[in-house]
Amino acid sequence: MAGGKERDGALRRPDVRVTFAHALRSEAARLRRSPLLWLHAVLATALGALAGAYFAVTPWDSLLGSDAFFQLLGAGAPLLAGISCGLAADAEQRAGDGANLFGVSSRRSALAAKVAALLALGLAAAAWAATLFCGALALAGRPVPELPAVALAVLGIVAGSACLYAIFLLVALKWGRNASIGLGALGVVGAMALMGGLANGLVTGTFAGALGARMAMAVPFAWPSRLASLPLEASIAAGLGADAQAQELVSAWAAVGLACLVATAVVVAVVLACANRFEGRRGGE
């Protein structure tokens, strides 16, 4: 009872004003001591280095191998989001029953900063994995996708994940880490199924990013993999002189990107509008 009064009193304190900038600085300081930082670093290093080494020495077409690699990064993004949000929510629960998020003057700023910090970790991990992968191919003298296409692929993974991070964090805060991790695992399966399997394009020698693109527009789990794969495939097709196919891929990319942008804007607006009234779990799991 006393803890509840202290928490409610903290919410009403008029002398403490938490802005988004303050909350973001706090998140950055805490992330430096968080196991999430090492989790992202280890996963990105292992995935980028191992996949790069594999496609550097095997006879697979390295450009199609690059497409498969970014499909893997994108398909895995929902699971990484689920794990990150779940562990972050657990840490907040242990640190005073979520007081850092719910015991401040602006839950909106605190929650937005938490999502932004986790998304920034995802961006850094994707960029590092892509750097290691492309570096391994370049050192082996294998063809490497154009840098602008790689940059768009990395940004596509992050843009496609933004909506998921916002939703998964609220799920984890309300129902626990297992709920968000479970949703993330479901997202991996959904993203790969919509592409006909992870290595479908590599094995068949085709561009799998456009496969079921219209259906993917309506499935948020598929957005990171599609927004990563489609610009890369369009660049590869253009380099091969298949201008008509490249244009089709660009059109599919724009359609998925527009659906992602609109849905993400709606989700973010709803989350921010309801953030100050959101209540997380009280007590344990």
Side-chain angles (χ1 to χ4, degrees):
M1 178 72 79
K5 289 181 178 178
E6 288 176 6
R7 178 169 163 179
D8 292 340
L11 292 176
R12 291 195 298 266
R13 286 178 60 187
D15 56 323
V16 179
R17 182 62 184 170
V18 176
T19 65
F20 176 74
H22 293 152
L24 195 57
R25 284 196 294 269
S26 175
E27 288 296 333
R30 280 188 285 168
L31 278 178
R32 286 197 292 268
R33 305 185 298 272
S34 170
L36 282 174
L37 184 63
W38 291 104
L39 173 67
H40 283 74
V42 170
L43 286 177
T45 300
L47 186 59
L50 291 176
Y54 175 77
F55 285 110
V57 299
T58 56
W60 292 109
D61 184 292
S62 63
L63 293 179
L64 288 178
S66 301
D67 185 29
F69 171 72
F70 279 98
Q71 287 177 14
L72 173 62
L73 280 185
L79 180 57
L80 183 60
I83 293 173
S84 299
C85 291
L87 294 180
D90 256 14
E92 293 295 343
Q93 192 71 17
R94 290 194 302 269
D97 199 18
N100 289 324
L101 292 178
F102 304 116
V104 296
S105 59
S106 175
R107 298 181 188 183
R108 182 179 294 117
S109 296
L111 288 170
K114 175 69 73 176
V115 171
L118 294 176
L119 201 56
L121 270 183
L123 171 61
W128 178 236
T131 299
L132 291 176
F133 177 82
C134 293
L137 292 183
L139 287 175
R142 302 297 301 276
V144 179
E146 295 181 354
L147 181 58
V150 172
L152 286 174
V154 170
L155 291 176
I157 292 173
V158 179
S161 302
C163 178
L164 300 179
Y165 274 90
I167 294 173
F168 287 179
L169 180 61
L170 296 186
V171 168
L173 289 169
K174 190 69 175 178
W175 293 289
R177 69 176 181 274
N178 291 336
S180 68
I181 294 174
L183 282 176
L186 180 64
V188 174
V189 175
M192 291 193 296
L194 283 173
M195 279 191 171
L198 186 60
N200 179 42
L202 181 64
V203 173
T204 61
T206 60
F207 296 131
L211 180 65
R214 293 196 175 189
M215 185 179 297
M217 291 170 56
V219 182
F221 293 141
W223 294 342
S225 57
R226 294 309 175 105
L227 293 178
S229 181
L230 286 168
L232 203 66
E233 292 180 354
S235 174
I236 296 171
L240 295 174
D243 294 335
Q245 189 173 19
Q247 188 57 48
E248 290 178 5
L249 291 165
V250 169
S251 298
W253 176 47
V256 176
L258 180 60
C260 173
L261 177 63
V262 172
T264 300
V266 171
V267 168
V268 169
V270 171
V271 169
L272 291 179
C274 301
N276 285 343
R277 296 189 296 275
F278 180 79
E279 290 288 344
R281 290 173 294 149
R282 300 272 183 154
E285 282 289 329

